[in-house]
């Protein structure tokens, strides 16, 4: 019945629309008009106050965006929590995140770069920078240099009680012996009963001389006499054991300060457990603070390096290494990783960083 020209249709039959279909139009109209204000009338960005992962992702996809603190917060919070589960002291995890935020804020995010990976890379770089020693302390080289001056190289081991001072002093002795150096031990823990005997046992096992004067003597004087004896005997190294002391113990800290000022050792090693969390910061801060306050010389000798013990017992909770280095600025020079004399290692900075960020 269709007529394919300009003439109007002859009758109504040509309209095949079902009256029921008109509801469709109604529905469409409702959808179009009742769905809130037109996006045309909104400012770009208005109504997007809550920035969640989606907006961060968008920023990362769009590229060419300047990073703001609020963009970085979710990724940094996640990173801070991860560092704390690895036993990094909270105060330090917080400070690290703040410095990473400061280094990224205002920077342009590259195209197709996710904020979380930018934050992770910046943190990785910061951790590597902190853990890599600024100046190398090469003990073997320094021992040779002292030897050429006709002097023994003197190391003083300090730290709180029970952290593994004497055991690890013996491990260091064993390592030096393997480098054909002559080593002497000085029993300057004249405070805790049994300490001298304990050191004597190590000396006997390792077949090295020990200088001891029993208990209740001034440890500073015992160390001085030990160094004099080592000079006479042409010992290459003197390893000085000291009493374990709490960082708040004023009389014992004074005695340690005296020992260090009087004897001017080549190296002051802080022995600390890898198990400590927040307390690591307090221990090291107070040791350094007391050595500074109680010093009788204008430029106080502080801690030069760290010996981290019981590393074999902590699984992936490697945070103490970071906390200690961060707070003292001193490198981890040895890592104790077991109870036998061979269980002494160097710190593997890359592996620590990898574990911290895993
Ligand atoms: P000090 O009081 O600081 O001299 O501590 P000790 O040298 O007497 O050590 C205390 C305990 O820690 C001893 O049972 C040691 O065998 C143990 N120890 C020391 N170093 C390590 C280590 O690296 N790993 C493990 N698992 N135990 C250690």
């Amino acid at each position: 019945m269709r007529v394919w020209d300009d003439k109007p249709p002859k009758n109504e039959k040509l309209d095949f629309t079902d009256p029921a279909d008109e509801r469709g139009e109604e529905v469409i109209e409702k959808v179009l008009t009742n769905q809130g204000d037109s996006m045309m009338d909104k400012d770009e960005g208005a109504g997007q106050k809550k920035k969640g992962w989606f907006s961060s992702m968008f920023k990362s996809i769009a590229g060419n965006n300047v990073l703001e603190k609020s963009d970085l917060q979710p990724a940094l919070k996640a990173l801070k929590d991860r560092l704390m589960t690895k036993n990094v002291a909270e105060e330090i995890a917080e400070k690290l995140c703040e410095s990473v935020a400061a280094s990224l804020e205002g920077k342009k995010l590259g195209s197709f770069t996710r904020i979380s990976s930018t934050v992770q890379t910046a943190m990785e770089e910061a951790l590597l920078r902190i853990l890599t020693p600024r100046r190398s302390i090469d003990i073997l080289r320094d021992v040779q240099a002292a030897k050429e001056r006709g002097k023994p190289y003197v190391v003083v081991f300090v730290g709180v009680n029970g952290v593994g001072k004497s055991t690890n002093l013996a491990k260091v002795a064993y390592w030096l012996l393997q480098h054909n150096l002559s080593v002497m031990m000085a029993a300057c823990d004249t405070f805790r009963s049994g300490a001298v005997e304990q050191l004597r046992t190590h000396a006997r096992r390792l077949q090295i001389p020990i200088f001891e004067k029993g208990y209740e003597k001034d440890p500073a004087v015992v160390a001085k006499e030990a160094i004099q004896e080592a000079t006479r005997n042409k010992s290459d190294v003197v390893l000085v054991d000291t009493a374990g002391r709490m960082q708040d113990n004023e009389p014992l800290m004074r005695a340690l300060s005296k020992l260090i000022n009087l004897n001017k050792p080549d190296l002051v090693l802080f022995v600390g457990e890898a198990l400590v969390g927040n307390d690591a910061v307090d221990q090291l801060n107070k040791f350094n603070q007391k050595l500074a306050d109680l010093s009788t010389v204008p430029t106080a000798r502080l801690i030069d390096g760290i010996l981290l013990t019981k590393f074999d017992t902590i699984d992936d909770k490697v945070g103490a290494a970071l906390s200690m280095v961060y707070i003292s600025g001193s490198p981890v020079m040895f890592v104790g990783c077991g109870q036998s004399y061979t269980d002494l290692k160097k710190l593997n900075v890359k592996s620590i960083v990898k574990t911290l960020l895993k």
Side-chain angles (χ1 to χ4, degrees):
M1 291 177 68
R2 286 190 176 86
V3 179
W4 302 105
D5 55 24
D6 292 340
K7 288 177 194 157
K10 281 184 187 148
N11 57 42
E12 298 294 301
K13 261 270 224 221
L14 280 172
D15 183 1
F16 293 103
T17 52
D18 181 344
D21 281 353
E22 280 173 15
R23 272 180 314 212
E25 256 181 44
E26 259 174 50
V27 173
I28 289 165
E29 207 158 65
K30 250 190 196 151
V31 170
L32 288 175
T33 53
N34 292 352
Q35 206 48 6
D37 298 335
S38 163
M39 294 285 276
M40 282 293 287
D41 301 320
K42 279 188 182 161
D43 287 332
E44 180 77 318
Q48 294 178 11
K49 280 191 194 99
K50 267 182 119 186
K51 284 192 182 176
W53 66 271
F54 182 76
S55 66
S56 312
M57 275 295 288
F58 181 75
K59 193 159 215 166
S60 67
I61 294 162
N64 278 341
N65 277 296
V66 172
L67 287 169
E68 292 159 27
K69 200 166 188 171
S70 55
D71 299 322
L72 300 165
Q73 282 315 326
L76 282 171
K77 167 83 176 65
L79 210 49
K80 182 187 162 193
D81 291 347
R82 199 180 318 158
L83 289 175
M84 281 166 60
T85 65
K86 301 288 162 62
N87 220 14
V88 175
E90 180 172 9
E91 179 189 335
I92 288 164
E94 179 72 41
K95 280 187 185 153
L96 270 169
C97 288
E98 277 168 18
S99 74
V100 166
S103 74
L104 290 178
E105 229 177 296
K107 289 243 166 84
K108 271 194 172 180
L109 191 70
S111 312
F112 303 109
T113 315
R114 288 166 53 133
I115 291 179
S116 58
S117 55
T118 304
V119 167
Q120 172 111 357
T121 307
M123 181 61 86
E124 191 177 330
E125 282 164 7
L127 294 176
L128 280 171
R129 208 167 40 241
I130 292 163
L131 287 166
T132 306
R134 262 153 283 168
R135 60 187 181 94
S136 78
I137 304 183
D138 182 340
I139 294 184
L140 296 174
R141 181 198 61 200
D142 293 352
V143 170
Q144 286 305 334
K147 202 170 167 168
E148 279 157 26
R149 295 196 305 271
K151 291 193 168 162
Y153 184 85
V154 180
V155 187
V156 175
F157 292 73
V158 308
V160 304
N161 270 317
V163 291
K165 233 176 305 87
S166 45
T167 308
N168 286 279
L169 180 150
K171 293 183 201 172
V172 172
Y174 182 80
W175 169 69
L176 292 167
L177 289 174
Q178 292 200 316
H179 286 272
N180 299 317
L181 295 165
S182 56
V183 183
M184 193 174 106
M185 288 182 181
C188 298
D189 181 353
T190 59
F191 187 73
R192 181 175 66 91
S193 75
V196 175
E197 290 75 11
Q198 191 178 341
L199 204 65
R200 205 186 287 150
T201 308
H202 287 303
R204 198 179 53 241
R205 284 194 201 140
L206 293 168
Q207 299 185 323
I208 56 178
I210 176 169
F211 187 92
E212 51 165 298
K213 281 287 159 85
Y215 296 94
E216 290 173 29
K217 299 272 170 11
D218 182 345
V221 175
V222 179
K224 191 172 180 60
E225 291 173 2
I227 295 165
Q228 284 167 350
E229 168 109 345
T231 312
R232 273 195 301 275
N233 293 346
K234 299 204 181 323
S235 290
D236 298 325
V237 185
V238 182
L239 301 179
V240 180
D241 187 28
T242 63
R245 64 205 77 213
M246 291 309 288
Q247 60 269 32
D248 296 315
N249 187 322
E250 186 87 15
L252 282 179
M253 288 307 296
R254 197 173 287 282
L256 181 64
S257 167
K258 183 180 172 190
L259 187 151
I260 291 172
N261 284 324
L262 186 67
N263 294 293
K264 301 179 182 56
D266 298 278
L267 188 67
V268 179
L269 261 189
F270 179 85
V271 185
E273 279 183 342
L275 311 161
V276 287
N278 288 323
D279 200 33
V281 177
D282 195 49
Q283 279 179 17
L284 262 163
N285 263 343
K286 290 208 174 127
F287 260 80
N288 266 334
Q289 194 57 53
K290 288 276 183 248
L291 289 179
D293 292 349
L294 300 169
S295 174
T296 50
V297 292
T299 350
R301 268 303 289 285
L302 306 181
I303 286 157
D304 300 306
I306 296 159
L307 193 159
L308 203 58
T309 66
K310 310 188 187 180
F311 207 71
D312 51 309
T313 65
I314 54 159
D315 193 25
D316 67 346
K317 306 222 177 321
V318 298
L322 179 71
S323 301
M324 288 187 187
V325 173
Y326 187 95
I327 215 69
S328 68
S330 309
V332 173
M333 301 181 62
F334 299 99
V335 178
C337 50
Q339 306 205 45
S340 62
Y341 292 140
T342 50
D343 293 328
L344 195 66
K345 286 184 182 169
K346 279 189 195 149
L347 187 77
N348 184 335
V349 172
K350 279 193 184 143
S351 130
I352 295 276
V353 172
K354 205 171 153 196
T355 310
L356 285 170
L357 294 176
K358 203 161 58 187

